[in-house]
Amino acid sequence: RIPNFSQIQVSSGNGVAALLAAVTAAPIPFPIPELAISNFSPSSEQANQMSTCFKWAKLTQPLTSLQISMGPGVLTAEDRLALFESFKECSFPKLTELIVKKSHVPALSMQDEDVVALVEAFKEGTLSAVETLGLSGEFGVVGVKALVGEAGQTYLSRIVTLRLAESQAGSLSSVRVLSRALSDGRLSRLRELDLGQTGLTDAGLRTLTRAAKADQFPSLEVLNLRENKLLTCSPIKFLRTTLKNCPACFRSLSSLILNGCDGLVGDAGEVLFDIVSSGERLPSLEKLQLEIVEDLAYNSFFEKVTKEVKARSRSCCKILRVFSMKTSFAF
């Protein structure tokens, strides 16, 4: 018998396994007002139990948050696909956060076909309450195309946070698809976009910047591009030029994260500081995270920051954090 709790949070593999076993055996849905499940790494048996619970609406009504980790449980590709397909079987009226984390073993991670299966639930409307969607895995442009759909489709219009980190969504073809979706309103409420560790290249960042130049990302507040090793200073200079010609570009951006982008050497720091210190470009920016791993670049940037801070008003940027291999500071 379940006590009369207003909310239950289950955050261990054993706890989730016990819950699934109990719910599967129960003749009726459990009377839980709200249920949050995190850190769940299902085996094939557990994935099948969860699929059954979804199909019979035994967990769908109270579920508010679901975080699934792909691995190290023994989950076959067929059972993984069946789990994602089961999301379309019944409505999840309270589910606002859905996160799927990748496995260290590529073959066990989310694939293009898994994304395609999950998208069917959004199209059916069973996941219409989701506002935070995080998908990591081995999917690329096929999965991204399936996710955002075609122009005019609105099934992702409630998404506020889209995290595609640790996937192949940073390829140029994938970024072009995402940019078009942002441009035509399919992600009209998006506030946070995470493309960290996705293989984003200079061409990809320039593609995003061109789309933003057309004032297509008016609501984007957080852009996370961390751990993209192929990024260089070139698209940062392109961003500076774009902002000079179009100050409204990325006008709502409050956080720009570039940690771990090892290719940002040379004068990348100076270019970024030049962008934010004017007070006109990126007017909403409150946080810039950047790693400078080259000694000469670090020293040059530090000297310029020190000089500019003395000469300019602190109002040029509310908070600017620069993280280096040596130290960190804020002003």
Side-chain angles (χ1 to χ4, degrees):
R1 183 174 180 176
I2 300 295
N4 189 25
F5 295 130
S6 61
Q7 183 185 61
I8 293 180
Q9 296 183 356
V10 185
S11 58
S12 70
N14 291 336
V16 176
L19 175 67
L20 287 175
V23 171
T24 303
I28 60 174
F30 277 6
I32 305 171
E34 292 187 359
L35 172 66
I37 297 176
S38 60
N39 299 321
F40 176 46
S41 181
S43 63
S44 283
E45 180 182 1
Q46 293 165 349
N48 290 331
Q49 288 177 330
M50 181 168 279
S51 298
T52 300
C53 290
F54 288 169
K55 290 177 180 178
W56 293 98
K58 290 184 176 182
L59 277 180
T60 58
Q61 298 302 308
L63 198 60
T64 60
S65 175
L66 177 60
Q67 297 182 22
I68 303 174
S69 297
M70 293 290 105
V74 181
L75 179 61
T76 66
E78 292 77 11
D79 290 331
R80 184 181 64 235
L81 181 61
L83 174 60
F84 291 120
E85 289 175 338
S86 69
F87 278 91
K88 68 180 180 182
E89 299 294 335
C90 194
S91 178
F92 296 76
K94 297 181 180 180
L95 186 63
T96 59
E97 180 183 58
L98 177 59
I99 306 293
V100 181
K101 299 179 180 179
K102 71 178 299 183
S103 168
H104 293 299
V105 181
L108 298 180
S109 296
M110 198 174 197
Q111 308 291 322
D112 284 314
E113 57 268 26
D114 299 317
V115 179
V116 173
L118 183 63
V119 168
E120 290 303 312
F122 282 98
K123 291 181 177 179
E124 292 289 333
T126 60
L127 294 175
S128 60
V130 173
E131 296 181 349
T132 296
L133 178 63
L135 304 178
S136 299
E138 296 302 310
F139 62 88
V141 65
V142 173
V144 173
K145 280 183 177 179
L147 179 62
V148 300
E150 301 293 337
Q153 294 182 312
T154 60
Y155 55 83
L156 292 183
S157 60
R158 287 181 59 89
I159 298 296
V160 174
T161 299
L162 180 60
R163 298 176 183 144
L164 300 177
E166 298 184 58
S167 71
Q168 298 176 29
S171 67
L172 181 57
S173 54
S174 297
V175 172
R176 285 172 175 166
V177 171
L178 277 173
S179 296
R180 286 195 293 269
L182 285 161
S183 299
D184 62 28
R186 279 173 274 173
L187 292 161
S188 57
R189 293 185 61 199
L190 193 68
R191 299 289 183 272
E192 177 180 346
L193 177 61
D194 187 349
L195 292 176
Q197 204 171 336
T198 57
L200 184 70
T201 63
D202 289 354
L205 183 51
R206 281 194 289 268
T207 297
L208 282 174
T209 302
R210 289 191 188 97
K213 180 180 178 180
D215 197 24
Q216 303 294 355
F217 306 161
S219 61
L220 190 66
E221 297 175 0
V222 179
L223 181 58
N224 192 333
L225 305 178
R226 71 189 186 282
E227 301 292 338
N228 283 301
K229 310 294 185 181
L230 299 177
L231 281 182
T232 71
C233 190
S234 175
I236 305 300
K237 291 179 178 179
F238 180 76
L239 174 62
R240 178 175 62 179
T241 301
T242 300
L243 288 167
K244 285 181 178 179
N245 298 325
C246 182
C249 179
F250 287 120
R251 67 179 184 270
S252 298
L253 196 69
S254 62
S255 180
L256 176 59
I257 302 171
L258 294 164
N259 291 0
C261 297
D262 296 346
L264 292 180
V265 296
D267 56 353
E270 293 187 38
V271 173
L272 283 163
F273 187 79
D274 185 48
I275 290 173
V276 302
S277 62
S278 71
E280 298 175 357
R281 300 183 287 272
L282 301 183
S284 301
L285 193 70
E286 296 182 347
K287 181 168 67 174
L288 168 64
Q289 292 186 357
L290 168 69
E291 289 182 351
I292 304 176
V293 298
E294 186 185 61
D295 285 346
L296 291 176
Y298 172 82
N299 292 333
S300 174
F301 178 60
F302 187 83
E303 288 174 4
K304 180 164 185 174
V305 168
T306 303
K307 180 180 178 181
E308 294 290 342
V309 167
K310 289 179 180 178
R312 298 174 184 262
S313 167
R314 292 182 62 166
S315 63
C316 69
C317 189
K318 295 177 184 177
I319 303 172
L320 174 59
R321 287 199 181 100
V322 180
F323 297 91
S324 74
M325 298 298 288
K326 297 179 180 179
T327 186
S328 65
F329 59 93
F331 61 89

